[in-house]
Amino acid sequence: MAEEPITTMTAVRAHRRGGPEQLVVEQAPVPELAAGEVLVRVEAAAITVAELTWPETWESGGVDRTPIIPSHEFAGRVARVGGAVEDFHVDDRVFGLVPFDRDGAAAEFVAVPATSVAHRSASVAPTVAAAAVLPALTAWEALVDRAAIGQGTRLLVRGGTGAVGSFLVQIGASSGAEVTATVSSEAAASRARALGAAHVVVVPRGTAPAHIGDFDVAIDAVGDDLPEWVYAAVRPGGDLVVLQQPPAQDVAERYGIRATFFVVDTNQDRLRELDTLLATGRLHVAVAATLPLSAGGEAFVAATAAGRPSGKTLYVLP
């Protein structure tokens, strides 16, 4: 006798806009599967704290999406395959990035377009894969598509040991760039060097370095209000890439630089390449903490706790 299909699941959801205080753990319908999609049984889902402030989290095309499920970076195994999907099969190990205007992966199951998923090597732990997806894809797009770095590029990474910054340093250095990383403490300086930064500048929050400049490319991975010294650090004709919010174009014009902002796209080819890098140990991925799905909003609070280790905080599921 065939097993009855599972129709409900445990999920972390928010029924109205807000922060972690709005997140509750409850039963929710298993997502319906459309053609071109796969249903994944989630093993790990990474937290990006800022997603609770993104418009896409709460609405799609101007229509309210609540209740919503957060956490768009995931790893797991394929549970079902929708029509017209040929590259994936039930029980395949996978990882990927859910589009930001869809429900995320803080749940037992997530439905995702097959184009947003890649196979995951058996040697790559679910927590490592989930923690790497968004920051690695963001770093790749910033460095390759937006700034076109290459051998000898003088690259400044503001926030060189953060979730995205650590990948900017690693991928930048491996691409031949001469990487200078700013960090906010002496404790972080040694980690930035270990990641591949040729030079490290300690810039405590709220301060500016005495002199730092003449970079071909600067990438801001901190996300607070962008201080003017970052614009000034780029040589005339150089590039500034900002990851969290659009830069001030009037300031960029004053310094004669190009300043861009983007929202990362899921790139399946890069997901495949990322899996290779993870499987061969060529990228270091920091995991700060893992919590069960039952932690709900507490996991988002833990992800911003003072003194926490570097790296991603993740939900893990059995």
Side-chain angles (χ1 to χ4, degrees):
M1 186 174 178
E3 291 185 8
E4 288 291 325
I6 299 173
T7 58
T8 61
M9 64 179 183
T10 303
V12 177
R13 298 206 294 180
H15 290 261
R16 60 180 181 177
R17 296 189 185 215
E21 75 283 352
Q22 298 295 341
L23 296 172
V24 296
V25 182
E26 61 187 11
Q27 290 298 295
V30 171
E32 295 183 1
L33 198 59
E37 297 182 348
V38 293
L39 184 71
V40 176
R41 184 183 293 273
V42 179
E43 295 176 316
I47 288 170
T48 300
V49 175
E51 72 178 275
L52 296 180
T53 68
W54 298 342
E56 297 87 350
T57 296
W58 304 101
E59 61 183 47
S60 179
V63 178
D64 183 86
R65 295 202 310 106
T66 55
I68 61 95
I69 299 175
S71 297
H72 289 74
E73 310 147 79
F74 69 91
R77 288 181 180 259
V78 174
R80 292 206 303 268
V81 177
V85 175
E86 298 179 354
D87 295 337
F88 298 98
H89 302 88
V90 172
D91 210 36
D92 282 355
R93 295 181 182 88
V94 295
F95 73 124
L97 182 66
V98 185
F100 299 124
D101 61 352
R102 296 173 58 126
D103 278 341
E108 292 181 286
F109 297 93
V110 63
V112 62
T115 52
S116 298
V117 178
H119 288 97
R120 171 172 52 90
S121 297
S123 61
V124 179
T127 50
V128 170
V133 172
L134 182 56
L137 290 182
T138 301
W140 239 318
E141 185 168 344
L143 292 166
V144 176
D145 301 336
R146 307 293 171 167
I149 66 161
Q151 189 69 38
T153 299
R154 294 166 297 173
L155 171 65
L156 173 67
V157 177
R158 180 177 179 241
T161 58
V164 178
S166 62
F167 285 94
L168 287 167
V169 170
Q170 291 181 84
I171 297 172
S174 67
S175 300
E178 180 182 348
V179 181
T180 296
T182 72
V183 296
S184 59
S185 69
E186 292 289 349
S190 59
R191 181 165 183 260
R193 294 187 185 94
L195 291 170
H199 315 284
V200 181
V201 180
V202 178
V203 184
R205 292 189 182 278
T207 68
H211 174 72
I212 186 169
D214 298 323
F215 290 96
D216 301 309
V217 177
I219 302 179
D220 176 62
V222 174
D224 55 4
D225 291 334
L226 188 62
E228 188 166 340
W229 69 260
V230 181
Y231 296 85
V234 182
R235 64 166 176 78
D239 290 287
L240 169 63
V241 183
V242 184
L243 304 181
Q244 282 81 11
Q245 58 188 356
Q249 292 297 337
D250 59 333
V251 180
E253 289 174 7
R254 193 186 331 141
Y255 285 99
I257 65 175
R258 292 178 295 271
T260 59
F261 163 79
F262 70 94
V263 176
V264 67
D265 288 326
T266 304
N267 184 310
Q268 195 174 53
D269 288 337
R270 284 188 180 149
L271 282 174
R272 295 187 185 108
E273 188 172 353
L274 176 57
D275 177 68
T276 299
L277 293 175
L278 296 175
T280 54
R282 284 181 281 169
L283 277 180
H284 173 72
V285 182
V287 174
T290 59
L291 295 98
L293 203 60
S294 59
E298 293 176 11
F300 274 74
V301 174
T304 59
R308 70 180 183 86
S310 297
K312 281 278 191 176
T313 298
L314 300 101
Y315 294 109
V316 291
L317 292 84

